[in-house]
Amino acid sequence: MKQSIKPRPQIDLLADGILQGNRMMLSQAITIIESNLAEDQKLSSGLLDKIIHATGNSIRIGITGVPGVGKSSFIEAFGKYIINLGKRVAVLAVDPSSQLSKGSILGDKTRMEELSKNSAAYVRPSPAGNKLGGVAHSTYETILLCEAAGFDIIIVETVGVGQSEVSVKNVTDFFLLLMLAGAGDELQGMKKGITEIADALVITKADHDNVKHATAAKAAYQQALHLQPLARSGWIPGVLTASAHTGEGIGEIWKLILSFTEQTMSTGFFHDNRRQQGMEYFEDRFKSILYSEVENSPALQAEKEKLKHEIQQQKISPTRAAEMLLIAFHREAGMRKF
Ligand code: GDP
């Protein structure tokens, strides 16, 4: 469990600071949002109340790919490119490895060094929390905070393992999948169904000797994508090649993202999708609050353990046990003032 920041700034001051684009206050707010302490969770809601009116004005881009595909190099090149166009960029790097190894795949090396130093950029590594390979519960709120702080483009980066792609998709507008050329794996992504949720596939490292392989991989993906059903957005995914080293393809990717937003805004999908994501997050959050009420109550934990034991002894069915836990929950809740 994390330590909360002390001395803790007044929530009003923190909200004002964020709205003025103060990145130190933004960092403090994100730390509070990421905290599991009950008192910090209350502060988080208070803070979000004060900034929610200033959220929503960004393009949220999810970027995923296997370790070594070139995510951090790509984000560095892409981030610098859009900063040169006058945009402000926030990068939230969600690290799925942290609770497995207690170390970090994303954090071990210096990543996005130049971007981190740029005053128009904000780079924040985040633990994946208790969702294995997924996006931290706080990522959605962190996106809102970054928008309130005036960032136009929010990039959510995650390593492509397990369900992380789906979680990233659920909090972003545009989902970019980075792929390596060659290695005989052109169609590997297709099997896993990842490409079905991608709005663009980018073959990385398309430079020097690798240009030929990258171009061949692009053609193979384009071919294969034709067979996929049309996405809910009505958008046909783009397949591109890019090099973070030469800058080749970076501008085309930005153009593609702009045409995606233009198209989906004109059909209404863009905002419908955002609204749906908000609803799904509300449902998820409510479930996790309910669950943590049980987890944090010693009396309910004891009841749960007792019921588990009785299930194992075949004294009670899991169905009945779940109902009894709910009855115990109501009893507990009735004794408590919220
Ligand atoms: P990540 O683990 O997905 O974040 O990948 P990195 O960005 O750390 O890159 C992994 C390796 O690929 C590093 O050695 C990079 O220098 C190299 N790399 C990344 N992008 C490119 C590129 O555009 N061209 C070439 N030739 N190498 C690249």
Side-chain angles (χ1 to χ4, degrees), residues 67-195:
V69 70
K71 290 180 295 303
S72 73
S73 311
F74 174 81
I75 293 169
E76 177 117 299
F78 181 71
K80 284 194 288 181
Y81 179 86
I82 44 184
I83 285 170
N84 280 337
L85 300 176
K87 307 279 179 204
R88 297 182 72 216
V89 184
V91 181
L92 312 176
V94 181
D95 190 339
S97 58
S98 49
Q99 91 273 22
L100 283 179
S101 59
K102 304 280 180 228
S104 144
I105 294 179
L106 294 179
D108 280 351
K109 50 189 173 169
T110 312
R111 311 179 80 247
M112 295 169 246
E113 205 172 345
E114 280 184 54
L115 203 58
S116 308
K117 288 183 199 144
N118 195 307
S119 61
Y122 177 76
V123 179
R124 169 89 185 192
S126 284
N130 51 11
K131 272 199 177 176
L132 189 68
V135 170
H137 81 80
S138 52
T139 305
Y140 188 78
E141 283 104 345
T142 306
I143 291 173
L144 298 180
L145 292 178
C146 290
E147 287 176 344
F151 290 97
D152 313 289
I153 308 296
I154 319 274
I155 294 175
V156 182
E157 176 203 6
T158 192
V159 176
V161 291
Q163 284 300 298
S164 60
E165 296 89 353
V166 179
S167 321
V168 172
K169 174 92 176 166
N170 287 346
V171 293
T172 52
D173 307 312
F174 188 90
F175 182 68
L176 191 63
L177 176 63
L178 301 185
M179 308 285 274
L180 289 166
D185 64 353
E186 264 82 25
L187 300 176
Q188 206 180 52
M190 309 307 231
K191 284 190 208 125
K192 287 201 267 166
I194 299 166
T195 51

Side-chain angles (χ1 to χ4, degrees), residues 258-303:
L258 288 183
S259 36
F260 171 88
T261 50
E262 207 174 292
Q263 179 182 317
T264 54
M265 277 185 188
S266 75
T267 59
F269 174 84
F270 188 92
H271 288 108
D272 283 349
N273 190 45
R274 282 259 178 112
R275 273 190 289 274
Q276 194 178 329
Q277 288 176 341
M279 290 304 118
E280 276 170 21
Y281 187 70
F282 163 62
E283 300 274 353
D284 268 7
R285 195 80 179 111
F286 184 62
K287 277 182 214 157
S288 77
I289 290 174
L290 274 187
Y291 196 73
S292 63
E293 286 285 318
V294 176
E295 296 298 296
N296 295 333
S297 155
L300 291 175
Q301 272 307 301
E303 180 71 14

Side-chain angles (χ1 to χ4, degrees), residues 216-231:
K218 177 179 163 178
Y221 278 119
Q222 271 170 333
Q223 189 85 34
L225 283 179
H226 274 308
L227 305 171
Q228 268 181 202
L230 193 65

Side-chain angles (χ1 to χ4, degrees), residues 18 273 312:
I18 292 168
N273 190 45
Q312 275 161 9

